[in-house]
Amino acid sequence: MTNQLPEVAIAILYQDNKYLMQLRDNIPTIAAAGCWGLFGGHIEPGETPEVAVKRELIEEIGYELPTFAEFGCYPDEKVIRYVFQAPLLVDINQLELNEGWDMGLLTLEDISSGSCYSAIAGEIRPLGTMHQRIMLDFINQQSADK
């Protein structure tokens, strides 16, 4: 008997040493409500994580993911996260936010501090705990590879 955890595919999108993140809707029933997180979402039945991340980015921000690579897998007691990474090859103004409260290009300082200001929310909002961990892992790996 297996209890299959839900699976999600999320993307680290980077541009000029900044990282595109979504301010999640402030709905108490969703994970990391009102927090900054990575774009992506649930993997549909029969989908691979690679297909899911491409679909989710088109749905959420109208971005056709270019060449991308797997970064890692982050399971916990609630969900299995497949994380991919790719450059953001368009200006943020060319993206259309279809899901979430706000989006922004966060700096290393934002990610390290665990919070970032949102003009739409009109306040500083926290990063989701797991999303911050994933981003710090990614940034540390990028620094180590240089």
Side-chain angles (χ1 to χ4, degrees):
M1 182 166 85
T2 61
N3 290 336
Q4 183 64 33
L5 289 173
E7 297 178 316
V8 298
I10 54 181
I12 298 168
L13 299 174
Y14 50 87
Q15 182 179 83
D16 299 328
N17 295 315
K18 294 181 182 175
Y19 306 91
L20 184 69
M21 297 192 80
Q22 169 197 53
L23 183 56
R24 295 179 56 79
D25 288 314
N26 210 13
I27 301 169
T29 55
I30 66 171
C35 296
W36 291 100
L38 296 166
F39 283 98
H42 287 279
I43 299 172
E44 300 293 337
E47 261 185 338
T48 64
E50 293 81 4
V51 168
V53 75
K54 290 177 82 168
R55 176 185 51 76
E56 286 286 343
L57 290 175
I58 289 170
E59 289 175 5
E60 293 184 357
I61 55 175
Y63 185 59
E64 291 225 16
L65 194 59
T67 302
F68 63 98
E70 186 175 340
F71 172 65
C73 183
Y74 286 77
D76 65 20
E77 66 282 351
K78 295 181 183 174
V79 66
I80 299 169
R81 295 172 190 84
Y82 296 93
V83 184
F84 298 90
Q85 56 101 1
L88 179 62
L89 301 176
V90 300
D91 188 271
I92 191 171
N93 296 328
Q94 292 179 263
L95 302 174
E96 183 178 340
L97 184 64
N98 297 315
E99 188 173 308
W101 197 3
D102 196 0
M103 67 178 161
L105 287 168
L106 278 64
T107 65
L108 172 58
E109 292 75 24
D110 297 327
I111 293 164
S112 295
S113 74
S115 63
C116 183
Y117 179 77
S118 163
I120 290 175
E123 62 187 4
I124 295 172
R125 301 299 303 203
L127 270 72
T129 304
M130 181 58 76
H131 294 266
Q132 182 186 27
R133 181 180 144 207
I134 292 167
M135 290 305 305
L136 290 172
D137 287 353
F138 179 75
I139 291 165
N140 290 333
Q141 180 181 311
Q142 296 302 106
S143 296
D145 289 346
K146 288 184 180 177

